[in-house]
Amino acid sequence: MDQRRSPSPAERKRDPERTRARIMEAATAEFAAKGYAATRTTDIAARAGVNKQLISYYFGGKEGLYREIATSWHTEGTAMASTDQPLDEVIAAFVMTTVHNRDQGRLWAWANLSGDMPSVDGDFLRAQAETFRARQATGEVPADLDPTMLLLALMAAASAPMMLQETARQLTGEDPATPEFAEKYAAQLGRLVRHLSARD
């Protein structure tokens, strides 16, 4: 069979949104396990149970698929970080994503450690820094802190149970991959943020 063939009309008509979602879920898992460079579209397609050509058809290839995953995460992250929510609750919610979406967290870790992935987060991160400036203008964030540096520090803190999993295990004697640990850690980090903003 010619592996370069285009997907058939029947394949394209089969619930395209569900197919796209399956491909994105499979790609997130593959990228998280192997990193961007080592992930092959054939492996993504096999995990998703679809013809490899559907990746090109829906996303334009591996990079387009990665960018679509990033866009989805940016949309979710923007909603989570809304200034309608207190900063301590925002940071606590991001902690919980390390439990509920570990593949996404691992993918983010790969992006930071390997340097082999497309650069896709700049606009999102700069927008998040602007929300910190907005919080600063209302007094929620102290005026003597650089909003971008504070954002970086809090992102690192929120990801600690995943990024420093073995350190957290040895330090606390608990399993940092469990929801119970994440909830305890999120509560403590939220308390720290409230102290920082003099709300507690």
Side-chain angles (χ1 to χ4, degrees), residues 83-104:
T83 52
D84 293 338
Q85 299 294 323
L87 184 57
D88 60 302
E89 293 181 14
V90 169
I91 300 304
F94 274 96
V95 171
M96 296 309 298
T97 65
T98 66
V99 172
H100 300 311
N101 198 342
R102 292 193 74 77
D103 280 344
Q104 183 69 56

Side-chain angles (χ1 to χ4, degrees), residues 171-184:
L171 179 63
T172 66
E174 301 177 43
D175 182 357
T178 64
E180 293 77 16
F181 183 93
E183 288 168 5
K184 183 187 298 186

Side-chain angles (χ1 to χ4, degrees), residues 113-194:
L113 295 173
S114 68
D116 70 353
M117 295 189 177
S119 180
V120 296
D121 296 329
D123 289 344
F124 168 73
L125 293 171
R126 285 186 288 273
Q128 293 310 301
E130 287 303 315
T131 70
F132 269 58
R133 289 189 180 90
R135 291 180 187 277
Q136 197 170 48
T138 66
E140 187 178 12
V141 171
D144 62 343
L145 293 178
D146 182 323
T148 59
M149 297 302 176
L150 178 60
L151 172 60
L152 180 62
L154 290 178
M155 289 178 71
S159 64
M162 178 191 65
M163 298 289 281
L164 300 176
Q165 183 167 309
E166 191 54 36
T167 298
R169 189 190 314 279
Q170 294 183 43
L171 179 63
T172 66
E174 301 177 43
D175 182 357
T178 64
E180 293 77 16
F181 183 93
E183 288 168 5
K184 183 187 298 186
Y185 180 76
Q188 289 297 306
L189 187 55
R191 182 172 293 276
L192 174 63
V193 171
R194 289 197 298 276

Side-chain angles (χ1 to χ4, degrees), residues 69-81:
I69 292 168
T71 297
S72 176
W73 166 240
H74 295 161
T75 300
E76 181 181 347
T78 297
M80 288 173 58

